[in-house]
Amino acid sequence: MSEKIERLKTVIIGSGPAGYTAAIYAARADLKPVMYTGMEPGGQLTTTTEVDNFPGYPEGIDGPTMMVQLQQQAERFGTDVRIGMVTAVELSDEIGGIHKLTIDDDKVIEAETVIISTGASAKYLNLPSEQRLRGGGVSACAVCDGFFYKGQDVAIVGGGDTAAEEASYLANICNKVTMLIRKDHMRASKAMQHRVNSLKNIDVRYNTEIDEVLGDQVVEGLRMVNNQTGKKEEIAITGLFIAIGHTPNTGIFKGQLDMDETGYILTQGKSTKTNKPGVFASGDAQDKEYRQAVTAAGTGCMAALDAERYLATVETPQEVV
Ligand code: NDP
C-alpha cells in the first residue's frame, strides 16, 4: 500500500533571518510555506548576545529574542515551522518540476519551490580555552560584538580579508588590536594590508598562534606562541575575535547546485535563482561578502518574491499519491 507523499508549495530550509524573512513574505503571498529549522533553530544569531545594528531596535535586542520574534511573525501569517533537518535533496532540472527532500533521513516530502537559507558557520580554532570562553569574550564577528570592547585591548586571529577588515573596524573602536597571523605574510588583498598597516593601534604579529586563551569566566588575556622560535608571550586583552573563515552549510546540495570553490551557492544576477528552476538561495549560504542579519533578511525577502513569481509562471503539477 503506497503512503501519500506530502506535497508542498514552498519549503524553506533553515531558520535564521533569511529563512524567517522568506517565510513572512511567502506566507503573506499564500505560498503556505513549511520551514525546517535545522539543528540550530534561529541560526548564528542565537549564539550572539546583543544585536545593536539591526534597524528598528533603538535599544538593541539580544539575538535569541530577535529570532523568537521573527518566528512569531512568520507564524502569525501561517508559516508551518517544523523542527527537523533536511538531510538529502533530489532537485529537479525541469521548469515546474518537483523537488524531493528527505527529512531526518526518514520522511520524504515534495516541494514545488525550495528556498535555501541554511547559513554558514564560523570556523573556530577549537582550542579548549577558546571554546570555553565563547560568549565570554570570544567572538567570531567583530561587526556584531566589537562595540562592547570600546576603548579596550583586543586581539584578532587570521590574515585574510575578513580578519584585515575586522581588525580595521576594531581599531576604530578599541584602544589596541593585536593581530595574530600564523604565516610570515597576510593573505588579505594588498589594499586591505595597506589599511591594516596604516593604523597605528594594530600590532601585527606574524608567525604567531594562540597557545591558550586566559581567563576563567571571561577573557582576561592571551598566551601567544611564535611558531618559528617557540617563544611564548602573554598579553592582557578582554576580547578575542576569530576571523579564520566561514563554512557555508551547503553540503547536501553539492553536485546539484552550482557553487564556488568554497561551497557558497551561486545565484543568477541580482536574483536568488540557482541553476535549478524553482530553487532559490538566500542569506549566508550564498553570501561570503556581507554576512549581516539585515542583508540575509533582504535576500530572504527576495527569495520569497522570486518563488512567488516562479510559481505564477509554471503550471501546478499533479499531486503524486
Ligand atoms: P580566508 O580563507 O581568505 O582567510 C582565512 C585566514 O585565516 C587566513 O589568513 C588563514 O591563514 C587563517 N587561518 C585559517 N585557519 C587558521 C587557524 N587554524 N589558525 C590560524 N589562522 C588560520 O577567509 P576570509 O573570511 O578572510 O575570506 C573569505 C573570502 O571572502 C575570501 O575570498 C575573501 O577575499 C572574501 N572577502 C572579501 C571581502 C571584501 O572584498 N571586502 C571582505 C571579507 C572577505 P593562512 O593564510 O595561513 O591559510
Side-chain angles (χ1 to χ4, degrees), residues 123-125 157-163 165 180-183 185 187 192 209 243-246 288-289 291:
K123 289 187 200 161
Y124 283 86
L125 300 164
V157 185
D161 279 323
T162 302
E165 200 168 82
L180 280 63
I181 297 170
R182 65 179 174 182
K183 290 201 176 122
H185 60 274
R187 186 196 290 204
M192 288 308 300
E209 295 176 45
I244 60 171
H246 284 74
K288 69 174 168 195
E289 187 132 0
R291 295 196 304 250

Side-chain angles (χ1 to χ4, degrees), residues 186-205:
M186 248 187 249
R187 186 196 290 204
S189 63
K190 287 277 175 265
M192 288 308 300
Q193 290 190 34
H194 179 70
R195 198 155 131 200
V196 165
N197 292 328
S198 68
L199 291 164
K200 297 268 178 293
N201 60 341
I202 301 182
D203 177 13
V204 182
R205 303 289 191 101

Side-chain angles (χ1 to χ4, degrees), residues 7-11 94 96-99 110-114 277-280 307 310-311 314-319:
R7 165 78 59 84
L8 301 165
K9 244 185 189 160
T10 300
V11 173
E94 307 294 323
I98 294 300
H99 310 289
E110 297 184 335
E112 292 169 29
T113 57
V114 176
V279 180
F280 307 92
Y310 166 83
L311 283 169
V314 297
E315 278 189 37
T316 310
Q318 290 302 302
E319 200 167 338

Side-chain angles (χ1 to χ4, degrees), residues 109-146:
I109 57 166
E110 297 184 335
E112 292 169 29
T113 57
V114 176
I115 294 177
I116 298 167
S117 45
T118 47
S121 304
K123 289 187 200 161
Y124 283 86
L125 300 164
N126 288 323
L127 293 170
S129 55
E130 171 215 46
Q131 291 302 307
R132 187 167 48 79
L133 291 164
R134 271 176 70 175
V138 174
S139 162
C141 181
V143 179
C144 320
D145 299 328

Side-chain angles (χ1 to χ4, degrees), residues 24-300:
I24 292 164
Y25 274 77
R28 285 168 60 87
D30 209 22
L31 304 188
K32 305 198 169 18
V34 169
M35 171 188 280
Y36 283 93
T37 59
M39 288 262 274
E40 192 182 32
Q44 289 183 80
L45 275 190
T46 54
T47 62
T48 314
T49 44
E50 199 77 0
V51 180
D52 268 346
N53 52 9
F54 201 95
Y57 294 97
E59 306 303 326
I61 183 165
D62 69 277
T65 304
M66 184 183 180
M67 298 320 298
V68 168
Q69 291 184 352
L70 275 172
Q71 178 173 345
Q72 288 168 346
Q73 193 175 355
E75 286 176 334
R76 188 177 134 216
F77 299 111
T79 305
D80 181 354
V81 178
R82 301 179 184 174
I83 309 282
M85 273 297 269
V86 176
T87 46
V89 298
E90 207 180 297
L91 303 175
S92 170
D93 288 316
E94 307 294 323
I95 294 173
I98 294 300
H99 310 289
K100 289 190 174 167
L101 311 179
T102 306
I103 313 301
D104 295 326
D105 290 319
D106 180 26
K107 183 183 164 186
V108 174
I109 57 166
E110 297 184 335
E112 292 169 29
T113 57
V114 176
I115 294 177
I116 298 167
S117 45
T118 47
S121 304
K123 289 187 200 161
Y124 283 86
L125 300 164
N126 288 323
L127 293 170
S129 55
E130 171 215 46
Q131 291 302 307
R132 187 167 48 79
L133 291 164
R134 271 176 70 175
V138 174
S139 162
C141 181
V143 179
C144 320
D145 299 328
F147 185 76
F148 304 112
Y149 303 92
K150 199 172 179 180
Q152 301 173 34
D153 289 358
V154 299
I156 184 162
V157 185
D161 279 323
T162 302
E165 200 168 82
E166 297 202 338
S168 313
Y169 179 85
L170 291 167
N172 277 328
I173 305 169
C174 303
N175 179 52
K176 183 181 173 187
V177 181
T178 304
M179 187 172 182
L180 280 63
I181 297 170
R182 65 179 174 182
K183 290 201 176 122
D184 64 358
H185 60 274
M186 248 187 249
R187 186 196 290 204
S189 63
K190 287 277 175 265
M192 288 308 300
Q193 290 190 34
H194 179 70
R195 198 155 131 200
V196 165
N197 292 328
S198 68
L199 291 164
K200 297 268 178 293
N201 60 341
I202 301 182
D203 177 13
V204 182
R205 303 289 191 101
Y206 290 102
N207 295 316
T208 303
E209 295 176 45
I210 295 184
D211 189 44
E212 193 177 345
V213 190
L214 307 173
D216 190 13
Q217 302 294 321
V218 292
V219 172
E220 290 167 13
L222 200 60
R223 188 163 56 242
M224 311 183 285
V225 59
N226 183 304
N227 57 27
Q228 299 299 301
T229 63
K231 191 175 166 233
K232 294 186 181 174
E233 183 185 339
E234 286 187 10
I235 55 169
I237 53 160
T238 49
L240 172 65
F241 294 89
I242 311 294
I244 60 171
H246 284 74
T247 310
N249 303 320
T250 56
I252 52 168
F253 309 108
K254 268 201 182 112
Q256 299 188 59
L257 292 184
D258 291 344
M259 297 178 187
D260 74 4
E261 66 291 348
T262 44
Y264 286 91
I265 296 170
L266 298 177
T267 51
Q268 296 171 11
K270 287 183 179 172
S271 78
T272 61
K273 292 176 193 166
T274 68
N275 56 309
K276 301 279 185 191
V279 180
F280 307 92
S282 61
D284 288 10
Q286 53 84 56
D287 171 22
K288 69 174 168 195
E289 187 132 0
Y290 299 104
R291 295 196 304 250
Q292 299 302 300
V294 67
T295 51
T299 56

